[in-house]
Amino acid sequence: MTGLSAKIAQAKVAAQAAGLLRARVQLTQTASSPNQFSCEAQHYLNFSSNDYLGLSVSPQLIDALVEGARRYGVGSGASPLVTGYGDAHAELESSLCKATGHEAALLFCSGFSANSALMKTLFGTGDSVVADKLIHASLIDGLRESGATLRRFSHNDLLAAQRLIKAHQPLALVTESVFSMDGDVAPLSQLYKTCTQQGSWLIVDDAHGFGVLSAQQQANAHNCDIQVVTFGKALGGQGAAILGSRACIDFLVANARDYIYSTALSPSAAYAVNCAVSLAIETGELQQKLTDNIAYFKALCLQSGVAITDSNTPIQPIIIGKLESLQRVFEYLKQAGIWVGAIRPPTVPKGSARLRITLNVNHSHSQIDMLVSCLASALSSER
């Protein structure tokens, strides 16, 4: 075996030996049974989904997707600058602007594409950007491709961020609202104040925060210059949007190659997400139920001796550390019919392999009881 085939085979062997080989898992699930699926003839309770508000299986969103397909068809048929931008897209952009206070928005087919396009379109060789050490891979990839100089500060370290901004006067600081692996929240107001004083923009990846955070913590036009909202988490759909000033969005429309040369987001998908924005933002009932489930889980962990972090978001990491221990705990839970994310390096730093537990509004207290009981048993055997 030679050439590219040999390279692929060697990479697979190395990943397997290190316990880091990634592979897909085929599931069977239905909207009528939220948080449950089967895999290889086994049934599991799912604590690994980012569908925080349960909207992906809500009757309202399902009806909206069907209605959107009836009105507009299934696909957009072209890129946005040809004939792929229609009423459904414009209405969703308007709703997102109303919800966040930004002047304009731009839709993408995925959050990864939106983040990557934003970084490599705004920045270039000779530009300076400061970022939290734990920003998403899509942001890092986009910045690397842009050629900009990236300087990273220790995670959520406000003083370190301020020092870098004052020393290097970057064009922008990049962070997340809620960090996907730790579940903690960035100090957006303080970061924005520092950025404004130094003439830098604050760019916030709001993938895991939109529709989840309290009014005091939410990213919006009052505490950031650019906000990236993804639709596949709390909004239960698919796609993403970049929100910012009209001048910024017009610049991206004219220059972002990922936007210019990609088929536009399906209008039926945009129509459904527009419905989700209303459901997620307007009532507050879903957020309250989610908050109650998070509090119940944390209290139960405290009672059961399960060590958790300070996260008050739906992302509840259980730090295991060693890969071998992580695999044993994961398999214990799996045998008990519970599915959680088992996150390994390089997704998280070395020595911090973890279970990534995610809660949503459709989890019942009895299901959370089962999870914590199994967690306590699995972790006690690793002490």
Side-chain angles (χ1 to χ4, degrees):
M1 188 182 298
T2 60
L4 193 54
S5 295
K7 178 182 178 180
I8 291 171
Q10 290 165 6
K12 181 178 181 180
V13 169
Q16 282 178 323
L20 300 175
L21 182 65
R22 294 184 175 98
R24 294 184 295 179
V25 179
Q26 184 177 336
L27 312 177
T28 300
Q29 54 191 338
T30 64
S32 60
S33 299
N35 295 325
Q36 298 180 60
F37 64 79
S38 60
C39 176
E40 298 177 347
Q42 298 295 318
H43 297 285
Y44 296 98
L45 182 58
N46 186 8
F47 280 95
S48 63
S49 169
N50 294 327
D51 186 21
Y52 305 126
L53 301 182
L55 290 177
S56 74
V57 295
S58 72
Q60 299 98 315
L61 231 63
I62 293 170
D63 289 345
L65 185 61
V66 172
E67 176 60 24
R70 288 198 181 108
R71 289 192 186 190
Y72 304 110
V74 175
S76 60
S79 64
L81 272 61
V82 181
T83 58
Y85 180 70
D87 293 343
H89 303 99
E91 289 166 7
L92 173 55
E93 290 175 350
S94 177
S95 294
L96 289 168
C97 289
K98 182 180 178 182
T100 62
H102 290 287
E103 291 179 351
L106 192 64
L107 304 182
F108 284 79
C109 293
S110 75
F112 197 106
S113 178
N115 275 340
S116 178
L118 180 63
M119 296 298 101
K120 61 192 180 187
T121 305
L122 285 184
F123 308 116
T125 303
D127 291 336
S128 176
V129 177
V130 166
D132 190 286
K133 189 175 182 179
L134 298 186
I135 58 171
H136 193 265
S138 55
L139 295 164
I140 295 171
D141 286 0
L143 285 165
R144 285 175 176 169
E145 191 171 343
S146 76
T149 298
L150 172 61
R151 296 178 175 90
R152 298 163 76 178
F153 57 89
S154 297
H155 176 53
N156 270 349
D157 188 332
L158 183 60
L159 292 178
Q162 291 171 338
R163 285 194 296 268
L164 282 180
I165 293 173
K166 291 176 181 177
H168 301 285
Q169 297 184 321
L171 291 182
L173 182 148
V174 182
T175 190
E176 300 185 14
S177 55
V178 174
F179 287 84
S180 61
M181 291 297 118
D182 290 88
D184 52 352
V185 180
L188 295 184
S189 296
Q190 298 95 315
L191 288 172
Y192 186 57
K193 181 178 179 181
T194 300
C195 287
T196 301
Q197 290 171 345
Q198 298 298 318
S200 302
W201 280 16
L202 178 61
I203 299 174
V204 177
D205 177 0
D206 197 25
H208 296 273
F210 190 83
V212 170
L213 292 178
S214 66
Q216 293 75 25
Q217 295 176 311
Q218 288 172 9
N220 54 53
H222 299 294
N223 59 20
C224 68
D225 297 283
I226 297 178
Q227 179 178 353
V228 180
V229 173
T230 58
F231 308 152
K233 278 75 175 180
L235 293 179
Q238 187 171 15
I242 299 172
L243 297 104
S245 67
R246 170 56 63 187
C248 176
I249 297 304
D250 286 347
F251 176 79
L252 293 172
V253 168
N255 295 282
R257 292 170 66 84
D258 299 65
Y259 185 77
I260 296 168
Y261 297 110
S262 291
T263 299
L265 181 70
S266 156
S268 55
Y271 187 85
V273 171
N274 199 11
C275 173
V277 173
S278 297
L279 292 172
I281 299 298
E282 290 180 0
T283 65
E285 293 177 6
L286 292 174
Q287 285 89 345
Q288 186 56 55
K289 187 174 181 181
L290 179 61
T291 298
D292 292 344
N293 272 354
I294 295 167
Y296 184 79
F297 169 81
K298 289 174 71 70
L300 209 57
C301 284
L302 183 63
Q303 295 170 15
S304 304
V306 174
I308 55 176
T309 68
D310 293 333
S311 169
N312 289 310
T313 69
I315 300 167
Q316 292 291 320
I318 307 291
I319 309 300
I320 305 295
K322 295 180 180 179
L323 291 175
E324 299 83 359
S325 295
L326 176 68
Q327 188 60 33
R328 285 193 294 268
V329 173
F330 173 76
E331 289 296 336
Y332 185 101
L333 294 173
K334 188 177 175 183
Q335 290 296 320
I338 294 175
W339 195 283
V340 300
I343 311 299
R344 304 165 174 84
T347 302
V348 293
K350 279 187 177 182
S352 70
R354 68 195 62 188
L355 300 174
R356 181 182 182 269
I357 294 168
T358 51
L359 302 167
N360 65 53
V361 298
N362 287 324
H363 285 126
S364 65
H365 281 193
S366 62
Q367 290 172 337
I368 297 173
D369 290 341
M370 180 180 174
L371 167 66
V372 176
S373 175
C374 290
L375 269 174
S377 297
L379 293 171
S380 65
S381 64
E382 294 297 322
R383 294 191 184 114

